[in-house]
Amino acid sequence: KMLLEHAGQDEESLALRDTILSLFEETFSYLSSRSTDFNSSHMKALQRESFVPCKDDTGVVRWYKPAEVYFTNTDGKEADEIVALLFHSISFSPFLASAGVKSEA
């Protein structure tokens, strides 16, 4: 977490952040495929943890609880860009939906 929150704004640091965010997206996708491995107590425990990475408008990655994050829509509408500016947002994942990420802002 510290690395992503305090990395510089140089090209290498920005590329590293994008790579790490991409890896988290792949991890959430994998966890979505394993949804039957998680019970309600697992998901309740995750709801209390700040484990969802979101990049803010300055490019810094911060970690949020699922209830503090909204899913972005991937259809490219202008309203989605506004949501991304006003709220912490991430691409849809069934695993994150189970953990409490909200579908509408």
Side-chain angles (χ1 to χ4, degrees), residues 20-84:
I20 291 173
L21 287 173
S22 176
L23 290 171
F24 266 94
E25 193 171 309
E26 290 176 28
T27 300
F28 294 143
S29 177
Y30 171 74
L31 291 172
S32 293
S33 74
R34 304 299 306 235
S35 61
T36 57
D37 294 345
F38 302 99
N39 62 38
S40 62
S41 65
H42 294 133
M43 300 316 285
K44 285 181 183 179
L46 283 173
Q47 290 171 355
R48 295 187 296 271
E49 299 296 325
S50 298
F51 74 96
V52 182
C54 295
K55 191 168 22 172
D56 68 15
D57 58 347
T58 65
V60 174
V61 174
R62 302 210 187 276
W63 306 87
Y64 299 95
K65 294 178 182 175
E68 300 172 326
V69 179
Y70 293 88
F71 289 121
T72 54
N73 201 341
T74 57
D75 61 10
K77 291 183 181 175
E78 187 175 317
D80 297 326
E81 293 175 22
I82 294 170
V83 168

